[in-house]
Amino acid sequence: MSEQKMMKASVMTTLGHFDMKEVPIPKPGAHDVLVKMKHVGICGSDVHYYQHGKIGDFVVTGPIILGHECAGEIVELGSGVGEKWGLNVGDQVCLEPGYGCGRCELCRTGKYNLCEDMIFMATPPYDGALQEYVCYPLECVFKLPKNMSTRDGALMEPLSVGMHACQVAEASIGKSAVILGAGPIGLVTLLCLKARGVSHIYVTDLVQQRLDTSLRLGATAVINAKENVMEEINKLTNGKGADMVFETAGSTITTQLTPDLVKKGGIILLVGMPPDGRCNFNMSRLIGKEAQIRTVFRYRHCYPLALNAIEAGLIKLDELRSLITHSFKFETECTEAFVTSRDDKVNVIKAMIEM
Ligand SMILES: [Zn+2]
Ligand SMILES: [Zn+2]
């Protein structure tokens, strides 16, 4: 029997505590690819699990490896990964961090992101990417275009959220939009709206640095959320409101504000999730406007589109890259990375762990 090769994994053994463990390197099954992780971005959800141990119904009950925004290099192919898949040892790839059962109605109608049995990285009970090697099904593995590094590749996950939101909101040329919340998801939504030709994009946030970033990335105007946002949006839209309103802050207050900002006949797109999952909508305002509320849960079929959009320059790589504000080393700085992400919301947009 050959000796099992080992790797390092950063395991959250108890709430808010990481242990660097030696664990066996997984063996790829027939249709899997073994990827040496190079970059893992820290998501708001990772920080939430680190801090609170749960998000809604997902509760951490044992040791877990966090991280789901990841990219790396293929080091081994499963026996069934034939030539037609275009994946080879040495390829730089990003991983779409979840897959459905493939058998249920939702999977078979293409809505795999809603599968009851979704296996998603760093969502209890499933482990994530903060380990040296990850074995993953070939259909979730996407080769990066030549102009992209694995550091860029790790940003495809949040970008896909923005791509999906903009598709569902039917964002198109010449329309107007409000983005409530200029965190990473609000900012990638801004980049996707620009790429789709949305001409007037207004961004709100409480943090001035984030508003400055929004302006740099092409927002038409920004509003500090301490102001009367409804009044300001009315001024900017001649009292009409915006065609689309994206809630990306995940706050009850901004969610409740959406009916006041949307144009008659417009679309409200809920991306963030209010902390206790509930909010009070002004239904008479909504109905009087014949406005639609739409929601998105993660994304589906967005990775190839996101990669194409970047390769073609529709989404500017330097703008996307600029969202990475902090970098940390995997072996020694996991705790620092999470603590900084948790405590410095003013300066951290996206923290990246270098593997
Ligand atoms: Zn994420
Ligand atoms: Zn399914």
Side-chain angles (χ1 to χ4, degrees):
M1 217 176 80
S2 66
E3 206 184 313
Q4 185 131 45
K5 288 209 179 93
M6 303 297 276
M7 65 169 175
K8 290 196 172 71
S10 179
V11 184
M12 188 171 88
T13 46
T14 54
L15 189 65
H17 180 81
F18 293 114
D19 269 330
M20 197 58 86
K21 299 247 189 210
E22 288 276 321
V23 299
I25 297 177
K27 273 265 153 223
H31 297 98
D32 292 339
V33 170
L34 185 65
V35 178
K36 168 107 177 60
M37 286 289 117
K38 291 284 181 65
H39 286 93
V40 179
I42 298 181
C43 182
S45 69
D46 293 314
V47 176
H48 211 86
Y49 284 128
Y50 174 76
Q51 202 175 352
H52 305 290
K54 60 171 187 164
I55 297 176
D57 296 336
F58 295 107
V59 183
V60 178
T61 53
I64 188 169
I65 298 172
L66 296 176
H68 61 264
E69 305 179 354
C70 60
E73 182 177 324
I74 296 180
V75 292
E76 193 181 337
L77 299 177
S79 58
V81 186
E83 223 169 288
K84 72 169 178 180
W85 298 102
L87 298 170
N88 292 294
V89 170
D91 285 349
Q92 310 290 300
V93 294
C94 58
L95 302 188
E96 179 173 343
Y99 52 94
C101 72
R103 296 195 170 85
C104 71
E105 182 191 335
L106 291 161
C107 282
R108 287 174 53 82
T109 52
K111 295 179 179 171
Y112 63 87
N113 60 319
L114 304 177
C115 173
E116 295 277 357
D117 298 319
M118 186 82 180
I119 293 175
F120 200 91
M121 278 189 196
T123 300
Y126 305 109
D127 278 330
L130 282 173
Q131 46 186 330
E132 288 182 286
Y133 295 89
V134 167
C135 220
Y136 229 60
L138 69 89
E139 66 272 22
C140 300
V141 180
F142 297 93
K143 203 168 157 171
L144 299 175
K146 281 198 177 60
N147 61 340
M148 281 178 73
S149 66
T150 52
R151 193 167 181 267
D152 305 325
L155 294 170
M156 291 305 97
E157 202 275 341
L159 183 59
S160 292
V161 177
M163 297 279 292
H164 187 43
C166 290
Q167 280 178 341
V168 173
E170 296 172 34
S172 59
I173 191 163
K175 284 189 180 177
S176 58
V178 174
I179 300 173
L180 299 165
I185 297 299
L187 294 171
V188 293
T189 301
L190 168 61
L191 295 182
C192 293
L193 288 173
K194 269 204 317 181
R196 283 174 159 255
V198 173
S199 53
H200 292 71
I201 308 172
Y202 310 113
V203 181
T204 76
D205 202 284
L206 284 163
V207 179
Q208 189 56 43
Q209 278 89 332
R210 292 182 169 198
L211 295 176
D212 296 342
T213 305
S214 307
L215 280 175
R216 179 170 57 71
L217 295 178
T220 313
V222 295
I223 302 160
N224 193 306
K226 288 175 203 145
E227 312 281 316
N228 184 330
V229 174
M230 180 167 65
E231 226 171 78
E232 296 302 316
I233 291 296
N234 270 332
K235 274 187 222 159
L236 289 161
T237 60
N238 298 319
K240 289 181 178 166
D243 293 307
M244 299 164 281
V245 179
F246 293 84
E247 202 293 328
T248 59
S251 107
T252 312
I253 293 171
T254 47
T255 305
Q256 288 173 180
L257 191 60
T258 55
D260 296 329
L261 309 178
V262 71
K263 190 193 261 187
K264 285 192 169 185
I267 293 175
I268 292 167
L269 211 291
L270 303 180
V271 187
M273 211 176 298
D276 66 355
R278 294 176 178 276
C279 77
N280 282 314
F281 267 116
N282 184 333
M283 296 310 286
S284 58
R285 182 151 302 163
L286 261 180
I287 294 167
K289 287 185 170 186
E290 206 175 87
Q292 298 178 46
I293 301 177
R294 297 185 185 179
T295 61
V296 286
F297 182 65
R298 300 179 181 141
Y299 40 76
R300 53 178 174 261
H301 312 297
C302 285
Y303 269 63
L305 305 178
L307 291 165
N308 284 346
I310 287 176
E311 189 175 22
L314 288 170
I315 290 173
K316 303 265 180 309
L317 203 41
D318 57 333
E319 293 184 349
L320 186 66
R321 275 175 189 157
S322 75
L323 302 185
I324 304 172
T325 50
H326 293 66
S327 292
F328 297 92
K329 290 191 189 70
F330 169 66
E331 291 207 18
T332 51
E333 297 180 329
C334 279
T335 302
E336 211 179 324
F338 276 76
V339 167
T340 309
S341 299
R342 181 192 67 194
D343 295 343
D344 190 5
K345 299 233 161 41
V346 170
N347 295 305
V348 179
I349 299 176
K350 176 64 67 189
M352 189 63 73
I353 296 189
E354 322 259 346
M355 303 293 287

